[in-house]
Amino acid sequence: MNPPAEPDWSAAAAALGSAFPEARWPGRLRAWAETEAREDEPWCVALSGGADSVATLLTLCGLRNADRGVRIDGGGGRRNEAVQAAGCDAVLQPAPADSAEASRRGLKHRATSDPETLHAGPETRDEAIPAIRNPHSAIRNDAARANASHLLALHFNHRLRGAAADGDEAFCRALCAALGVRLIVGAADWPAGSDVSEAQAREARFAFFDRAMREVGARALWLGHHRDDVVETMLLRLSRGSGARGLAAPRPVQRMADGTVRLRPLLDVAKAEIVAALRAAGAVWCEDATNHGEAYFRNRLRNQVVPAWREAAPADLAAAVARSRALLEEEDEALELWVDRILPGKLGEELPLAELRAAPVAVTRRALHRWFGALALGGVLSSAAFEELLTAVRGARATRQSAGDAGFLETTPDALRFAETAVAEPPASMWGGAALPVPGEMTLPDGAMFRAAVVDLDAELRRRICAGEFDDGRTAFLATMGTSAALSIRPWRA
């Protein structure tokens, strides 16, 4: 039996560059590359080792190499020793190079220095490649062409899958060495015994990306999301009750508050086409076995819900959802422009309400969210409390709501105000408590208000309580045998 051939990564990059040229990128991304890319900045590629991230890196390398006229294996150039396939259609999960598993699968990795994590200082690797210019570049725009020639890959080891995660890192090191791409590696440092959630892992990964990009002076982060991800994300966000802004994710060009931008060139491409292109090019990649498990909600959607939805759909489900995502992005942008027109140029602790009240409720909602963000008050109100505030603003009703430790929110018919300091709260010893009439209301010394009412616990109310529709930090239901004339309210004593 003949041994498996090593992947020709130069040829694979050329093949992926041809399969997914700039003309196939989303229009918004092409416009960004043509008008906003800067020649003095590198492009960073998030490289997990999975099929989509490998395809993204190879696509950009193909564009770079077409511009330079580069071959990085054979013919007196750099010999490609990165990865050896175990079969012509094999999808590999590499293990560390010194393990028996690596030997059994026929994997070879280039020798590298010991990995250094970002918390101990990021590792950088510079691989020089010939700079032979080719006038027949695949990228026509000069700035985009210059950026494509300055690629950096970012790999984050979550350290949640033991040897498999280390194998992914080794694969990425070898791949980048073969492609002549500088690699920066980071790793998580979870406390012993941590039960790390999917959200925590993602937060740690993007925190590393952000730090690495600042260190190298990069604005652009290229990600491998594809059309199948759009379907999963739509279901995920619908499950959370997201509006147009959340349902428009993932966007081909996602602008972040710090001025960086996340780019997704393969967003209009199906995962099956990406895998087929990689196989046709003789490329290999890593498979994360946890993607086939049921531990995470996204995995359950991918493995259970999406296949059933696709089978029941009368047409191309992914194409339909992608169209909906694009339309939602357009509507989100229109609403944002409307908010721009009705909000003051500078947001302070007092927000005039006349124009907000005259606008459609969706615009009022967005304006309030933006005001909260400007005052760093995001998350101080629960969903139910925010809805109460929105109702008060729309109805020109005077209210006073606690914003937690931050202060209070006060509405009048004319304005919404945030007060960091309200009426000084007397010491507990100076306020001995009071009676809350039922039904009725009372005001506490700090300005907060209690309201009491008698309600019947019917089937519908029971359903709403069990469904979590009430904020248990603001609403309590007390079961009584009879109706009390008043409830006794006393200061908390530890």
Side-chain angles (χ1 to χ4, degrees):
M1 179 177 178
N2 293 328
E6 294 180 356
D8 182 342
W9 288 111
S10 180
L16 269 291
S18 296
F20 308 119
E22 189 182 7
R24 292 198 61 186
W25 296 356
R28 289 171 183 263
L29 199 159
R30 295 198 307 272
W32 179 90
E34 292 170 1
T35 61
E36 298 185 47
R38 301 173 186 168
E39 293 188 19
D40 59 344
E41 291 182 327
W43 283 352
C44 292
V45 183
L47 181 65
S48 67
D52 45 6
S53 68
V54 170
T56 301
L57 179 62
L58 289 175
T59 296
L60 294 176
C61 283
L63 299 176
R64 175 199 68 180
N65 295 349
D67 178 49
R68 291 182 168 186
V70 169
R71 280 198 59 83
I72 52 178
D73 64 327
R78 186 189 322 280
R79 187 171 183 271
N80 183 352
E81 302 178 24
V83 180
Q84 185 174 14
C88 65
D89 284 336
V91 180
L92 305 179
Q93 171 64 67
D98 59 352
S99 71
E101 179 70 6
S103 175
R104 182 181 69 79
R105 294 190 179 193
L107 291 174
K108 287 200 300 185
H109 298 278
R110 290 178 62 89
T112 60
S113 58
D114 291 337
E116 293 185 14
T117 61
L118 192 64
H119 55 260
E123 180 195 37
T124 60
R125 294 179 54 84
D126 293 300
E127 300 285 352
I129 59 176
I132 305 172
R133 284 287 179 185
N134 179 356
H136 306 292
S137 171
I139 302 182
R140 298 176 301 278
N141 178 267
D142 288 340
R145 189 163 58 236
N147 285 110
S149 68
H150 297 290
L151 291 175
L152 294 90
L154 308 179
H155 176 79
F156 186 69
N157 186 337
H158 296 91
R159 290 186 171 168
L160 297 175
R161 296 182 293 117
D166 293 337
D168 291 354
E169 179 182 325
F171 171 86
C172 292
R173 288 179 179 277
L175 173 61
C176 289
L179 290 171
V181 172
R182 179 183 172 191
L183 176 67
I184 302 177
V185 176
D189 187 14
W190 310 111
S194 298
D195 184 12
V196 181
S197 69
E198 188 175 20
Q200 289 173 315
R202 183 183 187 279
E203 182 179 352
R205 180 171 68 253
F206 277 95
F208 158 69
F209 290 159
D210 291 342
R211 292 195 300 271
M213 290 173 68
R214 285 196 299 270
E215 289 187 5
V216 300
R219 280 189 313 139
L221 176 65
W222 294 73
L223 299 163
H225 294 98
H226 44 75
R227 182 170 285 185
D228 295 49
D229 290 317
V230 175
V231 177
E232 293 174 16
T233 303
M234 181 74 75
L235 281 173
L236 189 69
R237 298 295 178 90
L238 284 171
S239 302
R240 295 175 179 170
S242 297
R245 179 179 300 170
L247 296 175
R251 301 170 189 246
V253 178
Q254 181 183 6
R255 302 178 188 277
M256 310 306 293
D258 63 359
T260 59
V261 61
R262 297 175 184 175
L263 307 170
R264 299 174 173 91
L266 304 182
L267 199 61
D268 292 338
V269 183
K271 174 68 175 287
E273 184 179 354
I274 293 172
V275 170
L278 287 169
R279 285 179 171 159
V284 294
W285 61 93
C286 303
E287 281 286 355
D288 182 349
T290 63
N291 286 337
H292 304 290
E294 306 297 331
Y296 297 125
F297 181 45
R298 180 181 284 273
N299 288 357
R300 295 194 292 275
L301 290 176
R302 178 189 303 128
N303 300 327
Q304 299 176 18
V305 179
V306 173
W309 191 15
R310 184 177 289 115
E311 184 177 352
D316 185 342
L317 173 67
V321 174
R323 174 172 170 76
S324 293
R325 188 217 63 79
L327 293 173
L328 286 163
E329 184 177 11
E330 293 176 359
E331 293 172 8
D332 175 63
E333 290 173 345
L335 289 171
E336 286 295 300
L337 286 173
W338 199 331
V339 171
D340 289 342
R341 293 171 182 171
I342 67 171
L343 279 182
K346 184 177 181 180
L347 295 176
E349 292 187 349
E350 180 170 314
L351 179 66
L353 295 180
E355 290 197 67
L356 271 69
R357 191 175 298 119
V361 64
V363 178
T364 308
R365 182 186 300 277
R366 282 174 176 258
L368 291 177
H369 277 301
R370 190 183 294 184
W371 183 71
F372 271 83
L375 271 62
L377 295 175
V380 300
L381 294 185
S382 66
S383 297
F386 182 86
E387 292 301 320
E388 285 187 27
L389 177 66
L390 178 63
T391 299
V393 168
R394 299 285 297 176
R397 181 162 53 87
T399 62
R400 194 163 192 263
Q401 286 182 268
S402 172
D405 295 336
F408 285 86
L409 298 167
E410 300 173 333
T411 58
T412 68
D414 300 321
L416 170 62
R417 298 180 182 88
F418 170 67
E420 289 190 29
T421 55
V423 178
E425 181 177 358
S429 60
M430 295 178 59
W431 187 72
L436 172 61
V438 181
E441 61 184 38
M442 65 170 289
T443 301
L444 298 178
D446 65 356
M449 181 172 288
F450 271 124
R451 295 188 182 92
V454 179
V455 297
D456 293 325
L457 184 60
D458 56 20
E460 175 59 18
L461 180 57
R462 182 185 296 274
R463 182 198 65 76
R464 294 180 63 199
I465 294 173
C466 294
E469 294 185 16
F470 296 95
D471 181 355
D472 58 12
R474 296 174 55 85
T475 305
F477 291 89
L478 306 177
T480 62
M481 297 300 294
T483 302
S484 302
L487 297 175
S488 178
I489 307 298
R490 296 192 300 266
W492 170 259
R493 292 184 178 88

